Amino acid sequence: MKLYTYFRSSAAYRVRIALNLKGIAYDAVPVHLLRNGGEQLSDAYRAVNPAALLPALEDDGNVIGQSLAIIEYLEETHQQAPLLPQDPAGRARVRALALSIAADAHPLGNLRVLKYLVGQVGVTEEVKLGWQQHWLRSGLQTLEDLLANDARTGVYCHGDTPTLADCCLVPQVFNALRFNVDTAAYPTVMRIHAACSEHPAFLRAHPSQQPDAE
């Protein structure tokens, strides 16, 4: 199994967490998002993933893109350490929490969006940073509201074992801290982040622990 990854890619980070939680061995294939104009845009990588996005998982001759699709694939093919609850309502809640990050908040700070803002719209670096911080705060506030007043929230986003939602929460908080967002307004999110930060699977997935870390 190969994972095409970049150490700071939030989407790849999610998948690394899921692989570690399930105890699945994989070979990391680094694809640098900035070097040479972005190695994800090269013909060599497009031959693997025509979307030219990270991550991509290659397994048994199949290539899967999109982090949540990859994690669902792992969930269906590796039954150990399930990342989705057994009950339909719980599964829907975990998916909704994950999508609030992966579909709503994270894409607005994606590299290609930021490059367009600077290169085509002509915003300054200061305005770009303000954009990033605004959408990070907005996404974390939504997550806080969803988690704080729900009895199903436990040590982690849903109960006391990590789920798909936690795989998404941790990389998003990493981004917020990286871009100097004050996280004091999100105590539930940060409590869960702290719990995840003590878990070996999350620690091994951290950007600083990757072979391509700079």
Side-chain angles (χ1 to χ4, degrees), residues 174-197:
F174 172 82
N175 286 338
L177 296 174
R178 180 183 169 208
F179 292 109
N180 299 315
V181 171
D182 184 353
T183 58
Y186 322 113
T188 311
V189 170
M190 296 310 294
R191 175 184 62 75
I192 293 169
H193 179 265
C196 291
S197 296

Side-chain angles (χ1 to χ4, degrees), residues 12 21 66 77 80 100 115 137 147 187 192:
L21 286 169
Q66 294 294 336
T77 56
Q80 69 271 24
S100 77
K115 288 176 69 174
R137 286 193 297 265
L147 292 168
I192 293 169

